Amino acid sequence: MVLCAVRRLLLKSSSSSCGAWARLLQRGCAYSSVHGFDQGEIREKLQAFPGGSIDLLKQESGIAVLTINYPSRMNAFSGSMMVDLEERVHQLESWIDCKGLIVQGASGTFCSGSDLNAVRAISNPQDGMKMCMFMQNALTRLLRLPLISVALVEGRALGGGAELTTACDFRLMASGSVIQFVHKHMGLVPGWGGAARLVRIVGSQNALKLLGGALKVDPELGLQIGLADGVLEVPQAEEGAGTLLQRAENWLSHYTHGAAPVIQAVKKVVLSGRELPLAEALRTEKDVFGTVWGGPANLQALASKSKHR
């Protein structure tokens, strides 16, 4: 597990002040050789099924854009794209100035899940389980990034694409878009961690309806059950009001405005409160608080008396 070892080294410097947070991040590597998982082996298997790409654009604003790019397959994940995703998450983990992330699909659709060519080739249970563990690791690490993330859903997010939306902090749905957990139609259940995350987002009753009924979630239903955090109207060419991505960036800016260390601290305390036992979450909050107390943003705010603005 070379990459997990590298992540532990990167986190070592922060472990003294935010030990619980560092341990929480390390849990993103949920599987190891103890579980019969060899990351190098499964990466090699997945790379044998090329096609498409996962593109990452890091902007000076601190907002990155991650694009699922395989339009000829409705942005389905090929094997090499799964490896790409893990590598892009690794790049974001080491980005010091990160504040936010928008995950989108290319050419007007979000993601249709797994490319069936790759799925058929690794349809035996052993390889399927390894792929499952690989993607669970990647998406858990995506969710635990110290930035605020939003899935910009345009067109359809199906199967694994629906699971990917749950690995973001927020979901914005474009008008006319659909999120659908179609796994039951494929004789499956979610395997990339989507079911566990879905329960936390919409509750067990709604999750059971979405998975058991393979319901099509449009923007209205998404807002009603809490799967969607906002709806964006697809801009018309004559409007001149900016692209859908620009509208998503404007929406996200309400939560990422400010100094990067403060935004990162916000994400850390929320994540630890959700995933750690209370006593450990409280200690983590104290440690993270200590990293921003007396910092540049705090001192500037005190000098300008901006608390109540």
Side-chain angles (χ1 to χ4, degrees):
M1 298 296 291
V2 176
L3 287 176
C4 290
V6 171
R7 295 183 69 246
R8 285 193 289 271
L9 290 174
L10 290 172
L11 292 165
K12 187 176 181 181
S13 61
S14 64
S15 62
S16 58
S17 60
C18 300
W21 170 252
R23 290 193 297 276
L24 177 60
L25 285 185
Q26 289 168 9
R27 290 174 191 168
C29 296
Y31 300 103
S32 67
S33 57
V34 175
H35 307 96
F37 179 60
D38 184 329
Q39 181 157 296
E41 176 192 359
I42 189 60
R43 281 172 62 92
E44 185 176 349
K45 285 181 180 292
L46 293 172
Q47 290 279 29
F49 307 101
S53 62
I54 304 293
D55 304 326
L56 178 63
L57 173 64
K58 294 191 287 187
Q59 304 177 113
E60 291 184 3
S61 62
I63 307 300
V65 179
L66 188 76
T67 303
I68 307 134
N69 191 358
Y70 200 4
S72 64
R73 299 278 186 178
M74 290 181 58
N75 297 330
F77 270 89
S78 67
S80 64
M81 288 170 67
M82 295 178 189
V83 176
D84 278 355
L85 176 67
E86 194 274 339
E87 292 175 349
R88 301 299 173 260
V89 170
H90 179 63
Q91 292 171 18
L92 289 166
E93 287 169 337
S94 59
W95 188 23
I96 296 173
D97 298 321
C98 65
K99 294 198 294 183
L101 172 69
I102 297 173
V103 180
Q104 66 170 2
S107 301
T109 196
F110 187 74
C111 174
S112 60
S114 301
D115 181 10
L116 292 182
N117 288 336
V119 170
R120 293 188 186 99
I122 57 172
S123 60
N124 66 80
Q126 293 78 18
D127 285 343
M129 289 288 284
K130 291 174 182 176
M131 181 269 290
C132 168
M133 290 188 281
F134 184 90
M135 289 299 289
Q136 281 191 14
N137 277 352
L139 293 182
T140 299
R141 288 166 56 189
L142 173 63
L143 182 60
R144 290 175 174 169
L145 286 169
L147 48 73
I148 298 176
S149 59
V150 58
L152 173 56
V153 182
E154 185 179 9
R156 291 191 283 181
L158 307 177
E163 294 192 63
L164 176 58
T165 70
T166 67
C168 295
D169 299 310
F170 297 112
R171 283 146 296 282
L172 291 175
M173 296 185 70
S175 54
S177 63
V178 169
I179 299 174
Q180 186 179 14
F181 294 83
V182 297
H183 303 76
K184 188 182 79 167
H185 294 330
M186 301 297 295
L188 296 170
V189 296
W192 295 357
R197 293 187 297 268
L198 184 64
V199 169
R200 295 184 179 215
I201 295 168
V202 303
S204 60
Q205 292 296 98
N206 282 327
L208 191 59
K209 292 175 182 177
L210 296 189
L211 297 179
L215 300 183
K216 293 182 179 180
V217 180
D218 60 17
E220 181 180 1
L221 179 57
L223 287 174
Q224 179 183 332
I225 64 177
L227 185 59
D229 297 281
V231 178
L232 299 179
E233 293 297 324
V234 177
Q236 302 299 314
E238 64 274 11
E239 289 183 10
T243 66
L244 197 65
L245 177 60
Q246 289 170 334
R247 294 185 180 188
E249 290 190 26
N250 291 338
W251 186 94
L252 184 58
S253 69
H254 293 293
Y255 308 103
T256 58
H257 177 71
V262 177
I263 304 305
Q264 293 169 14
V266 167
K267 176 62 178 287
K268 290 175 181 178
V269 295
V270 170
L271 184 60
S272 63
R274 184 178 69 218
E275 297 200 23
L276 296 174
L278 179 59
E280 196 168 2
L282 291 172
R283 289 192 293 271
T284 301
E285 185 173 318
K286 176 260 297 179
D287 291 340
V288 175
F289 174 82
T291 68
V292 292
W293 175 264
N298 178 227
L299 294 178
Q300 183 179 0
L302 290 173
S304 63
K305 299 180 181 179
S306 62
K307 179 177 180 180
H308 300 294
R309 293 182 182 176

